[in-house]
Structure formats: C-alpha cells, structure tokens
C-alpha cells in the first residue's frame, strides 16, 4: 500500500471521528451545558444537536427531573434544653441548568448542608412539645427558607419533610408516665361525670315519680270529692223525698183529724209512740226498760193504724 492510500485512510478516519464528536444526543429530562474554549456558550435540551468538534465541548450534564436528597441525622438542642436526634428529606428540581452548573460547586452537598443548618435553626427555636406536635408548620417553614436560599442556584425546592424526631430515652419514659397520668386523669373525670349523670337521672326519676304520685293523689282526692258530692246530693235528695213524704203524711193526717177521723189521731200517736220506743231500746246504756203502759192502749193504737190503712186503701 502506498503512502497516498495511507494518507487517504487516515483522512477518512479523521473525518468520521470529527463527525462523531460533533453529534450530541441529549436524553429526555436532561440538559447539557456547552463550553467553547472553556467559556459557557449555551445549553442543549433533549434531542439531537451539533457542535464544533475540538472547539466546543459538553461541560455538565444536568438532570432536570425532581430529585430526592436525604438529610443526615443530627442532634438539635430545643428551646427548653432537650436534646433530640432529627433527620429529614429534601425534594428539589433543577430549573436552570447553567446556574446549577456554574453558580454553586457540588450542588447536592450544598443543598444537604443548607437543609441541615436550617433544620437546626428552626427546631432550636421551638419547645419539644412543639416539635412533636407541629411537624407541618416545621416543614412549611423549612420549605420557605431553603427554597429562597437555593433560588440563585437555579433550583426549586418542592418539599421538605422531617422524617424522625427521637428524644432521649429518659425523656421518652417521662413522657410515657405523663401520658399515663393524663389518661388516668381523663378516666377519673369520665367516671365522675358518669356518676354525676347517674345521680341526676336518679333524682329526676324520683322527682318525676313524686310528681306522678302527687297527681294521682290529687286525682284520687278529686274523685273522692266528686263521690262525696254525689253521695251528699243523693242523701239530700233522699232527705228531701223523705221530708216530702212526711209532709204528705202529716197533711193527710191533718186532713183526717180535721174531718174528725179518730183513726188518724191513733195513727199519729202510735207512730210517735213507736219511734220513742225505738230510740229507748237502741240506747247502749239501757239494759232494762220499764213501761208503765197498758197493753190495750198500744194494741188499740195499732188497731187504729190498721183501720186507717184499710181506709186509705179503699180510698185509693
């Protein structure tokens, strides 16, 4: 092979290598920064690009997707002098590849250190109870501070999460005892409230029972009063009828006497006589009754009553 052939082959190889070096393929979610003689010239987005070989070169390959960075565990002294171990995680995304490449050296290390220092600052200004109960506010505060600090680097911090807060063991035991005491206190309060509610219900039931009993007694008294009223009315009606009967009898006797009927006089006298004997015989302190009367007089009076009854029947 001659010298010309060797030179031609070398030239062809040089051309192929040069063309290969001039073709740049950028994958999706990536951006390449391009330098010309060491100076930043531009940024290649995803796709096929050309550059001048031996003059331009790809300097930094920056991922544009969201990335996750662990914040190492560190000890933090809280406002109330409690020592706690804290770790977290930071989510960030590169928005400007040129700034991320040239504004900060070792981007991930810088973000981690920034997260650690701000985590220590924010938590050191809070009490332990606030650290354990206000994680959302801590995350929001850290997100605002870190995002503002990383904006000049072409980054966007999307989330900051505190993963774990570990107080010392003696403090954990004290918190457990406090929680137990608090639960016992709430249980005692609930028991007391239950007893109080039961007593109130019992008193209310007794009061209701007394009200019902009083109403029943009142109703009974009303019924008894109604009964007594009805009985008095009937008794008065009976006495009225009896008085009317006695008045009629007296009238009839008076009319018979006026007519000269001796039997009527005998009826009137015998009736009063029998009534007087009934009263004397019913007296509880009388064991013996002396009657200095002639039997014929009584019999005569009774006979007069019989004759009067006969006469009345005949008249009817």
């Amino acid at each position: 092979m001659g010298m010309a052939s060797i030179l031609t082959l070398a030239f062809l190889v040089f051309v192929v290598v040069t063309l290969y070096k001039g073709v740049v393929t950028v994958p999706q979610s990536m951006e390449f920064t391009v330098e010309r003689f060491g100076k930043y010239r531009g940024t290649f987005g995803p796709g096929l690009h050309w550059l001048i070989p031996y003059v331009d070169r790809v300097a930094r390959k920056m991922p544009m997707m969201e990335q996750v960075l662990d914040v190492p565990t560190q000890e933090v002294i809280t406002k109330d002098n409690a020592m706690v171990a804290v770790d977290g995680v930071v989510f960030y995304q590169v928005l400007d590849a040129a700034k991320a490449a040239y504004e900060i050296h070792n981007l991930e290390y810088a973000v981690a250190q920034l997260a650690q220092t701000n985590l220590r600052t924010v938590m050191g200004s809070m009490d332990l109870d606030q650290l354990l109960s206000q994680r959302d506010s801590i995350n929001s505060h850290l997100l605002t501070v870190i995002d503002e600090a990383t904006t000049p680097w072409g980054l966007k911090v999307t989330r900051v999460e505190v993963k774990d807060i570990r107080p010392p063991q003696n403090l954990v035991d004290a918190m457990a005892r406090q929680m137990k005491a608090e639960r016992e206190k709430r249980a005692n309060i609930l028991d007391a409230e239950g007893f109080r509610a039961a007593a109130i219900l019992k008193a209310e039931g007794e009061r209701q029972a007394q009200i019902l009993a009083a109403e029943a007694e009142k109703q009974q008294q009303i019924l008894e009063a109604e009964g007594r009223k009805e009985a008095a009315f009937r008794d008065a009606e009976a006495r009225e009828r009896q008085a009317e009967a006695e008045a009629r009898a007296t009238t009839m006797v008076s009319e018979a006497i006026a007519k000269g009927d001796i039997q009527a006089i005998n009826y009137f006298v015998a009736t009063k006589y029998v009534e007087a004997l009934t009263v004397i015989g019913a007296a509880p302190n009388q064991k013996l009754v002396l009657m200095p009367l002639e039997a014929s007089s009584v019999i005569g009076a009774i006979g007069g009553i019989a004759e009067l009854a006969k006469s009345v029947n005949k008249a009817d």
Side-chain angles (χ1 to χ4, degrees):
M1 180 181 296
M3 182 62 65
S5 299
I6 295 174
L7 293 174
T8 302
L9 181 61
F11 179 77
L12 292 175
V13 171
F14 174 77
V15 171
V16 171
V17 172
T18 300
L19 293 176
Y20 178 77
K21 285 181 172 291
V23 178
V24 177
T25 302
V26 181
Q28 186 66 36
S29 301
M30 296 288 292
E31 287 187 1
F32 293 174
T33 61
V34 179
E35 296 178 354
R36 175 170 296 175
F37 299 116
K39 182 179 179 181
Y40 172 74
R41 186 179 71 87
T43 302
F44 288 169
L48 183 64
H49 299 272
W50 297 88
L51 53 75
I52 301 175
Y54 311 113
V55 175
D56 298 335
R57 70 181 185 90
V58 174
R60 299 287 299 276
K61 299 179 179 180
M62 302 298 300
M64 305 302 293
M65 66 185 68
E66 188 173 5
Q67 301 181 63
V68 183
L69 180 64
D70 284 328
V71 179
T73 302
Q74 59 180 333
E75 292 185 349
V76 177
I77 300 176
T78 62
K79 187 178 180 180
D80 52 354
N81 296 324
M83 182 72 71
V84 294
V86 182
D87 59 359
V89 61
V90 178
F91 297 82
Y92 69 94
Q93 185 177 8
V94 176
L95 300 181
D96 191 331
K99 290 184 178 181
Y102 299 107
E103 296 293 335
I104 185 70
H105 177 68
N106 198 341
L107 180 64
E108 292 186 358
Y109 179 77
V111 174
Q113 292 299 314
L114 184 63
Q116 280 185 314
T117 55
N118 283 278
L119 191 66
R120 189 180 299 111
T121 302
V122 172
M123 291 190 170
S125 63
M126 303 175 69
D127 295 333
L128 179 61
D129 292 339
Q130 294 177 331
L131 292 183
L132 298 177
S133 61
Q134 299 182 9
R135 289 198 179 190
D136 290 339
S137 62
I138 295 173
N139 294 336
S140 178
H141 192 182
L142 288 174
L143 176 61
T144 302
V145 173
I146 298 175
D147 182 56
E148 183 179 356
T150 56
T151 298
W153 303 343
L155 302 182
K156 174 62 180 178
V157 178
T158 57
R159 284 176 293 174
V160 178
E161 300 289 341
V162 177
K163 291 196 299 184
D164 194 13
I165 300 175
R166 295 183 297 275
Q169 187 61 39
N170 57 350
L171 188 57
V172 173
D173 296 338
M175 293 173 62
R177 290 193 300 270
Q178 180 182 0
M179 185 181 299
K180 182 180 179 181
E182 185 67 24
R183 289 179 178 176
E184 291 178 353
K185 176 183 176 182
R186 281 186 287 179
N188 293 332
I189 292 174
L190 291 177
D191 290 340
E193 290 180 352
F195 290 144
R196 176 175 175 270
I200 292 174
L201 291 177
K202 182 179 178 182
E204 186 66 23
E206 292 177 353
R207 175 176 173 274
Q208 191 67 22
Q210 292 176 357
I211 292 174
L212 293 177
E215 291 180 353
E217 184 178 358
K218 179 181 177 181
Q219 191 68 24
Q220 183 65 26
Q221 292 176 356
I222 292 173
L223 293 177
E224 291 178 356
E226 291 287 341
R228 288 194 298 269
K229 181 179 178 181
E230 185 68 22
F233 177 76
R234 291 181 179 179
D235 187 34
E237 188 178 11
R239 287 196 301 270
E240 183 181 356
R241 290 180 180 178
Q242 183 180 1
E244 290 178 356
E246 290 179 356
R248 290 179 59 188
T250 303
T251 302
M252 293 176 63
V253 171
S254 299
E255 291 177 355
I257 293 174
K259 293 177 181 180
D261 192 352
I262 192 64
Q263 298 298 334
I265 299 173
N266 290 336
Y267 166 76
F268 186 76
V269 173
T271 300
K272 298 300 181 181
Y273 184 76
V274 171
E275 290 177 357
L277 289 179
T278 302
V279 173
I280 294 172
N285 57 353
Q286 300 294 332
K287 302 301 180 181
L288 179 62
V289 179
L290 298 178
M291 301 177 61
L293 301 173
E294 296 179 359
S296 59
S297 298
V298 178
I299 295 173
I302 296 173
I305 294 173
E307 291 297 332
L308 181 60
K310 289 178 180 181
S311 63
V312 172
N313 289 331
K314 288 179 181 181
D316 293 340

